[in-house]
Amino acid sequence: MLKSLFNWKVLVNLLVAVAVFVGLVWLTFRWLEYHTNHGQEIPVPNVVNKSVQDAVKILEDTGLDYEVDSATYNPKYRPFQVLKMFPSPGSRVKDGRAITLKVNPRSWAPVAVPDVINKYAGLAFQRLDQVGLKVGDTIFEPSIQKDAVLRILFKGQNLAPGTKIPRFSVIDVVVGSGPMRNITIPNVVGLTVKEAKAVIARNLFEVGIVDHEDGGKDESDIVYYQDPAAGDARDQGMQIDLWASKKTPAELRDRIDQLNSTYRMKIDTTLPPIRYEEVPSFQDESVNQTPPPVSPKPVTPKASVQSTTKPVSTTKTIDTKPKTSGSNPDNSAKPTTPAAEKPKGKKVII
C-alpha cells in the first residue's frame, strides 16, 4: 500500500494537480484586479458651491458617476447650487464610483393649501401661517358670510383646497364684509329657469322655491311669476321664489291673479288719510292751574269810648286785617299770608 503511494506516477499526478490549482487561483486574482481596477483610484474633485450643470460635467470628465438629491431650500444660496457631496472632496475612489450631490432646489418645497373656505378669518390666517403661507392683501367682498373666508387667490387665480404651491408663497384672501342692503330685485319673468338663476346669482340673491306648473324640473320652462316682485328692495342673500311653466303668461292669467292675491298686498288709496290730533288733558290743567287770588272784604271799624275823670275821649281803632269768607272751599289749599301789623290806636281829645 505504501509502495503504491510513493510510486513516481502518483507523485507526478499529484504535482500536476497542485500546479493546476495554484494557476487557477493566480488567474482568478489577476482577473479580479483587472475587473475591479485594483490599485487604480481617482481623487474626488471638489464641486461644492458650483452649479449642478458644472458639477456633473466635471464628474463625467473625471470618470465618476453621480446622483443628484435635493436638499431643503436655503434662500442664502443660488438655485441648483451644490451644497454638499459624498464622498467628501479629496477622497480616492475607483473609476465609475457614484458621487452623491446635495443641490439647493429652485424654491421652497411645495405645500398643500389647507381647506379654510367658509371658515372664520382669524382661524384661517393661523392655519395658513402654520403651513408656511404668507397672507398678502385681505380683500373684503359683500357677502352674507361676514368675516368668513370666501376665496384664496395666488397670482390672481383662485386656489382650490389641496393645491400645492411653494412654501412661503404670498397669497391674497377674500373675506366677507356682510350683506349689502336695499338691492333692487331684478325682473326674471319671461326668462328660462336656467337664465333666471344666473341673473339672481349675479345680483347677489339666492334662488328659493322653483314651482314648475307641470310638476317637472325642466330648466327650459319660462318663469311667469316671481316673489318678491321686480323693483322691490331687499338685502343681499334673500331668496327669490319662481313659478315656471311651458305655457305663456297670457295663458296663465288666472293663475297669476291668484298668486297676486296671495303675495301682493293691495292698498286702497281712495280712503282719506288718517289724521292724528292731540287731545288736551283737562284733569292735568285743573291740578296745575293756580287759583285766582281772593280780594279781602272791607270791615267796618268799631269805636270804643272810655269814661274817665278826664274829658271824655274817643279812640277809633281801624282793623286793616282782611277777613276771608269761610264759604270758599278752595281757601284751604291756598297758602296763608301773614297778617299786616295792627296799627296803634290814636287818642283824639274833643
Side-chain angles (χ1 to χ4, degrees), residues 218-271:
D218 190 0
E219 292 194 348
S220 63
D221 290 354
I222 304 299
V223 177
Y224 66 90
Y225 195 83
Q226 70 177 78
D227 181 66
D232 291 350
R234 294 291 188 275
D235 294 342
Q236 177 187 358
M238 294 293 293
Q239 292 185 347
I240 300 178
D241 298 334
L242 304 176
W243 283 261
S245 175
K246 298 184 182 301
K247 300 178 182 179
T248 62
E251 297 174 341
L252 298 168
R253 177 53 55 189
D254 294 339
R255 176 59 176 164
I256 294 175
D257 293 340
Q258 182 182 359
L259 292 173
N260 282 331
S261 62
T262 303
Y263 295 99
R264 301 288 187 267
M265 181 182 296
K266 295 181 179 181
I267 301 176
D268 189 359
T269 59
T270 60
L271 297 176

Side-chain angles (χ1 to χ4, degrees), residues 46-56 67-85 100-107:
N46 186 6
V47 294
V48 177
N49 296 330
K50 297 182 179 296
S51 65
V52 65
Q53 294 84 0
D54 295 341
V56 168
E67 295 179 355
V68 178
D69 187 13
S70 61
T72 303
Y73 176 73
N74 192 338
K76 297 180 180 179
Y77 300 98
R78 302 187 308 271
F80 304 116
Q81 179 179 352
V82 178
L83 304 179
K84 295 180 181 180
M85 59 182 301
T100 303
L101 304 177
K102 289 285 186 179
V103 180
N104 190 37
R106 178 164 45 185
S107 61

Side-chain angles (χ1 to χ4, degrees), residues 71-142:
T72 303
Y73 176 73
N74 192 338
K76 297 180 180 179
Y77 300 98
R78 302 187 308 271
F80 304 116
Q81 179 179 352
V82 178
L83 304 179
K84 295 180 181 180
M85 59 182 301
F86 181 81
S88 59
S91 301
R92 303 185 66 86
V93 296
K94 294 180 181 180
D95 187 15
R97 171 71 183 272
I99 307 299
T100 303
L101 304 177
K102 289 285 186 179
V103 180
N104 190 37
R106 178 164 45 185
S107 61
W108 293 100
V111 295
V113 177
D115 186 8
V116 294
I117 304 299
N118 300 328
K119 301 294 191 303
Y120 175 63
L123 298 177
F125 288 168
Q126 293 180 3
R127 180 60 180 147
L128 292 172
D129 184 69
Q130 288 175 356
V131 299
L133 297 178
K134 301 298 182 181
V135 178
D137 295 334
T138 302
I139 304 171
F140 290 93
E141 182 178 287

Side-chain angles (χ1 to χ4, degrees), residues 157-302:
Q157 302 295 327
N158 291 335
L159 284 182
T163 304
K164 290 188 175 182
I165 59 176
R167 191 180 181 186
F168 299 115
S169 297
V170 179
I171 59 176
D172 300 329
V173 180
V174 181
V175 180
S177 61
M180 294 181 63
R181 305 293 182 182
N182 298 326
I183 305 177
T184 303
I185 294 179
N187 185 12
V188 296
V189 174
L191 302 178
T192 62
V193 174
K194 184 177 181 180
E195 294 172 345
K197 289 181 177 180
V199 172
I200 291 173
R202 191 163 53 247
N203 286 270
L204 307 179
F205 291 105
E206 300 289 338
V207 179
I209 300 174
V210 181
D211 186 0
H212 293 267
E213 191 261 342
D214 58 358
K217 295 183 180 180
D218 190 0
E219 292 194 348
S220 63
D221 290 354
I222 304 299
V223 177
Y224 66 90
Y225 195 83
Q226 70 177 78
D227 181 66
D232 291 350
R234 294 291 188 275
D235 294 342
Q236 177 187 358
M238 294 293 293
Q239 292 185 347
I240 300 178
D241 298 334
L242 304 176
W243 283 261
S245 175
K246 298 184 182 301
K247 300 178 182 179
T248 62
E251 297 174 341
L252 298 168
R253 177 53 55 189
D254 294 339
R255 176 59 176 164
I256 294 175
D257 293 340
Q258 182 182 359
L259 292 173
N260 282 331
S261 62
T262 303
Y263 295 99
R264 301 288 187 267
M265 181 182 296
K266 295 181 179 181
I267 301 176
D268 189 359
T269 59
T270 60
L271 297 176
I274 301 175
R275 299 179 60 185
Y276 296 93
E277 297 181 356
E278 293 186 359
V279 179
S281 178
F282 296 101
Q283 183 178 359
D284 294 342
E285 287 187 2
S286 62
V287 173
N288 297 329
Q289 185 176 4
T290 304
V294 179
S295 59
K297 294 182 180 181
V299 180
T300 304
K302 296 180 180 180

